[in-house]
Structures are given as structure tokens and as C-alpha cells.
Amino acid sequence: MAESFYICLDIGGTKVLGAIFNSKKEIVYRLKKKTKSAGDSSQNIEDLIISVVDEMIVGAEINKKQVVAIAAGAPGVINQEEGIVLFSPNLPWRNYNIKKPIEEKFGVPFYIGNDVNVGVLGEYKYGAGKGYKNVVGLFVGTGMGGGLILDGKLYTGHQFKGAELGHMVLNSEGPRCNCGQRGCLEAFSSKQGISDYIRQQTERGRESLMAEAVKGGIFKSKLLKAALEANDKVSVEAVERACHYLAVATGNLINIFSPEVVIYGGGVVEACGNSFLPLILKDVDKYCMPSIRDTVEIRNAALGDDSILYGALSMILEKDN
Amino acid sequence: MAESFYICLDIGGTKVLGAIFNSKKEIVYRLKKKTKSAGDSSQNIEDLIISVVDEMIVGAEINKKQVVAIAAGAPGVINQEEGIVLFSPNLPWRNYNIKKPIEEKFGVPFYIGNDVNVGVLGEYKYGAGKGYKNVVGLFVGTGMGGGLILDGKLYTGHQFKGAELGHMVLNSEGPRCNCGQRGCLEAFSSKQGISDYIRQQTERGRESLMAEAVKGGIFKSKLLKAALEANDKVSVEAVERACHYLAVATGNLINIFSPEVVIYGGGVVEACGNSFLPLILKDVDKYCMPSIRDTVEIRNAALGDDSILYGALSMILEKDN
């Protein structure tokens, strides 16, 4: 019998990452395409996804009939049961049924979920959350995404709108967040929050290696990495501040969920390297009950940029989610 | 065939409430006993519970054989599966197996859970949360208890320690909480938090009808009710402040869970009457995402002081929790 393959996608606002997994759950082929190149209509994004899948099948030299299923994570509020993207901040889909056309085109099941939810699912099944039942995930990127595995299942709440952990208000007089509130975790601790803080400081006349990088908006992660390595004072401050609020939020989430593990992923975590987790661990005990803290592991994601791809694989292979 | 009866208990630090339900889920007999009268050993509390059950059977003139099961809610961290009270702030039980002696004494199953969890379960099955799948409950009493129904099941987290919603930190520079942290929801919005605020103000020389009531510690709910009816300025301020922080916490919980309903219960809610909920509703929209807020009901508990009794009934009748 010919080998089976699973095609998994990480659909972002700027790029689509694709991977083909074999039945041993190994990635045997990868492809990356810029989302922007597709133009910004719903149909264009759908066409892009189809072309990524087509190209991967050709590039990996497998037979279309060997593909058992396709799955994806994408930003936004997604009806996972029906494969409808209800709303996405970075993609042109509104109440868009993406399941139907993909399934018709390829003749195999297609699954899709919110990218951070799917990423946390990946970590739960194959990464830093393996073996646990209750997992809280925080993905620190341009924004701040959250994912919850509760009693062994992905929790998405009513109408798939839950797990907005980044919009926990930690100080109602705090800085303005993209969502319009003040003092959300995202406003302190995301790339946006860190950029805003550095910009604020450089506009006061303080020097920073990141001054240019944050002028127009948000820095690129590799620039932050370099600035931290050079011990840039304002950048270090900004990350310490971000981690302080992450510690408060993590303490709250520990009290709320009594999870077995809290996992941090995303570009900022990767950029900060080994300095990130200790900054959170330094503070988190202050903000949760010691009796609950005792049974929680706090750690970095294990699958790096592949969390979402593995989570998509899990949507195909483990229907109990 | 003789009718079946269910005995349900609300075990508190100061009193035990008991009720006998018939098979139509109606309360046919009630009993209330002071906990303090029992003395403060583990054995004494166990004996008290046994005596309450015994007295109720006699008082209701039913046959012991008609009792199908017994269930209870009690304060603390409780291993619901094994009937072990791991820790209780108000009762002398530590790692105490209360299931075994009660089952041996009465020859029927005995179930026990954390009181607020059980109360929210009661509201979910028979009260303000009926018909929903995702319910967040906040019980505003001396402390601030939380309960979570997620995907149709009571969520207690790892080792039954979750749902500590009252210890969400809303301002890490805020007032000291009983748990040792600063700025927890409980420190602002519980009876303790409201008492502390009123005391602070009266010690500054401001006048309040509640000055005496908070001098030694925590006011009695009926005194707050009277002060609010008399439009006592400091008391009104204290409740407005409590409701502001409840609105922030509720907004956070809405973003985290996307529940269908948030329910408020407990002595403070009852004391504040109709003024309580509007004060929260006034603010809550500011602290959660409008798209999630759109599908959440926010309401008072429907079962009043009987939430825990009905929740205990549900533990007996609906094993799927």
C-alpha cells in the first residue's frame, strides 16, 4: 500500500507556511508563500491556498491520491465545526466557508481553526504540553493570542470566540490597546506594546538601538534580538515590563484554571531567547496562590514555528479534540 | 412504591443548611444548625453533619430507606471524585475523607464539592444558567468565590484547585487581599473589600451609617442593605467601587471564556438588591470585546440562598457533571 500524507497549513496575514507530514508524523516537505502576493480578496486567498497545496504535491513528488486530509490554522474567529471563518483581523474573509471549496477541489476532508488555538493544540499533542490535561498557551507576537486545553479538549467557548487571553485588562488606566480598551495584556506585552514603550522612551530623547525600528510601527523580531544582545537599556526595560505584565496575567490564569502547564510561544519569545522565561518566573509566584502554583509547569513552546502545523496535523489525526 | 428523597447540605463556616428534596425536585423539609456549636475538630463537624441528616429524617417523617443519596457543598479545595476535603479555610478538615463515614453511616452514596462550584452547578441546572453550555459564576460574600461550567461540565482544573476567580489581580499596586496578594478582585469587591473601604473612609473622619458595623471587621449584609436604602454616601461609593472592579473582572472573564451567561450570587448581591447589576452593566462593555459581549447574558442568581442545595441535588441526579 502506498504511504499516506497529511497537508498542514499555517495561514497568516503575511505568509502561508505549508508542510507535508508522512504517517510517522514527520515533515517531509515544506513551502512558504507570501500572502500579500495574492491580492486582498477572499477568492484570492482561497486560490493561494489551493496553489500552495497543488505546488506542494508536485514538489514533494507524491500522488494526489496519497493525501488523506488537509488542515490549517488561520487568524480570526473560526467556526471549527463548519469550517467558516467568521472574522479575521488580517485576512479578507468574513463569514467565509473555506471548507467547502477546498474539500471539493481536493476530494479530502479539510479542517481549520484559529491559529493560536491550533498552535496550542499542537504543543498539547506533540510539544511542551504533551501528557497534560489542562494547558494554557500564550503566543506573544504582533498581538497576544491565547489557547486553552481544558480537561483534555480544546476550549473555544460560545461561538468560538473565547480564549482572548491577550485582552485581559490588568490596569484599566493603562496604555491604549489595539482593541480600544486600556491596559490589556496585549498593550503591555506584545510586539505592539513593546514597540510603543520603546518609541515613547526614544521620543523623550533617550537613546536606543531600536529607535529607528519602532519609528513607523512595530519592530522586526530579529532587531529586538540584536538589541537585547547588545544590552540596549531601553529594549531591556521594555522586555522586563512586558514580562512583568505577563507574570501578572499568568498568575491570574493559574488561579482561574489550575492548569498543569503554561506555555509561551511566538516571535517575541523566540527573539528574547533564554532571557524571557526567567523574567516571568521571577515575578509569577507573587500573583497566584502558592498551593496552585506548586502544581504548574511554566515553559517555552517546544515546536517553535511549527506549533500550528503540528496542531493542524492533530486536527486530522485526533478527532477527539 | 414509596417516594424517594434526596438530602442536600450547604456546609458553611458558621452554619449548616439542610434540605430534603422529593423526586419532583421540590424542597419538602429544611433545617439550619450553627456550625460553631459543634466545636472545631474534624470529628465534631462530621458528627454535626450526621446529626443534621438524622434530625431531618425524623423531622420530615420519612423512612431512612427512602433516602436515595446525600450530597453537599462545603468551602475549600475538595477532591470531588473521592469525597476528600483537601483544605478548607473555614472548617477543620485537612485531607479529610468525609465520603466514607457518611456512606457507612447511612448506606447511600454521598457526594461533596466546593460550595461555590456546587452553587454555580445548581444555577446551571435549575436556575439562571439553565439551557446554556458555558457559565461563569461569581459569588460575592465575605470572600469572592468562582465557579465555571465549560462545555456543559463543571470545570475544576488540576487537583480541583481552579476557578479561583476572586484572586484575579486587577491592579498589582491595589489594596492587600486576604490571600496575601495586592489588588485581587476579592480585595475590592467582596464584603471584606467593601468593609475595608468604608473603614478607611470613616477613619479619615468621614461619616457613615456603617462606621460601627465595619469597626471590628466585616459588616452584616442586612446593615449594608439599610445603609444603601438610607443613601449613605460612603456605602454607596464603596458599592460603586466594588461594582467597577467586578465589571473589569467580568469583562476579562467574558474575553477568556466567551460564556453564554455570567451569574452573580451571594450575600452582597442580595443586600444591594436592584442597584447591584446596573452598576456592573454600566461599565462592563468597556472591558470586553463587543463581538463577544453581544452573546453574553449578565444576570443575578435565580435560586438565592438555595443555589448550593440545588447544586448538591444536581450532583446526585445528573452524574454527567
Side-chain angles (χ1 to χ4, degrees), chain A residues 116 138-146 178 186 189-195 218-219 221 246 265-270 276:
Chain A
V116 180
L138 283 166
F139 276 61
V140 191
T142 306
M144 173 81 65
N178 278 332
E186 178 168 307
S189 306
S190 68
K191 242 189 217 187
Q192 176 81 58
I194 296 171
S195 298
I218 296 172
F219 59 81
S221 294
L246 268 166
V268 172
V269 181
E270 305 270 319
F276 190 81

Side-chain angles (χ1 to χ4, degrees), chain A residues 42 77-79 82-88 91-99 159:
Chain A
S42 300
V77 180
I78 296 175
N79 179 334
E82 300 180 36
I84 297 168
V85 180
L86 301 168
F87 168 82
S88 175
L91 293 170
W93 289 333
R94 297 289 175 275
N95 292 311
Y96 194 76
N97 188 327
I98 181 67
K99 186 181 180 72
Q159 294 184 357

Side-chain angles (χ1 to χ4, degrees), chain B residues 171-218:
Chain B
N171 177 355
S172 57
E173 318 290 316
R176 180 75 69 180
C177 181
N178 277 331
C179 75
Q181 289 172 259
R182 284 188 173 280
C184 297
L185 172 61
E186 178 168 307
F188 291 113
S189 306
S190 67
K191 241 189 216 187
Q192 176 81 56
I194 296 171
S195 298
D196 289 350
Y197 180 84
I198 296 172
R199 191 180 318 107
Q200 208 179 82
Q201 295 305 313
T202 53
E203 283 176 357
R204 293 179 58 227
R206 293 180 68 191
E207 285 185 12
S208 168
L209 297 172
M210 295 284 283
E212 278 305 311
V214 299
K215 217 165 212 171
I218 297 172

Side-chain angles (χ1 to χ4, degrees), chain B residues 57-114:
Chain B
I57 292 170
V58 173
E61 296 180 359
I62 63 173
N63 190 314
K64 210 170 152 176
K65 288 181 183 152
Q66 291 175 278
V67 177
V68 174
I70 306 170
V77 180
I78 296 175
N79 179 333
Q80 231 175 276
E81 278 159 27
E82 300 180 37
I84 297 168
V85 180
L86 302 168
F87 168 81
S88 175
N90 308 317
L91 293 171
W93 290 332
R94 296 290 175 275
N95 293 309
Y96 195 75
N97 187 325
I98 181 67
K99 187 182 179 72
K100 200 162 160 277
I102 303 283
E103 292 194 341
E104 276 172 9
K105 163 77 186 164
F106 294 101
V108 296
F110 176 68
Y111 308 98
I112 186 164
N114 168 275

Side-chain angles (χ1 to χ4, degrees), chain B residues 210-228:
Chain B
M210 295 284 283
E212 278 305 311
V214 299
K215 217 165 212 171
I218 297 172
F219 59 81
K220 288 208 162 74
S221 294
K222 65 179 176 189
L223 294 178
L224 179 65
K225 191 171 197 279
L228 293 173

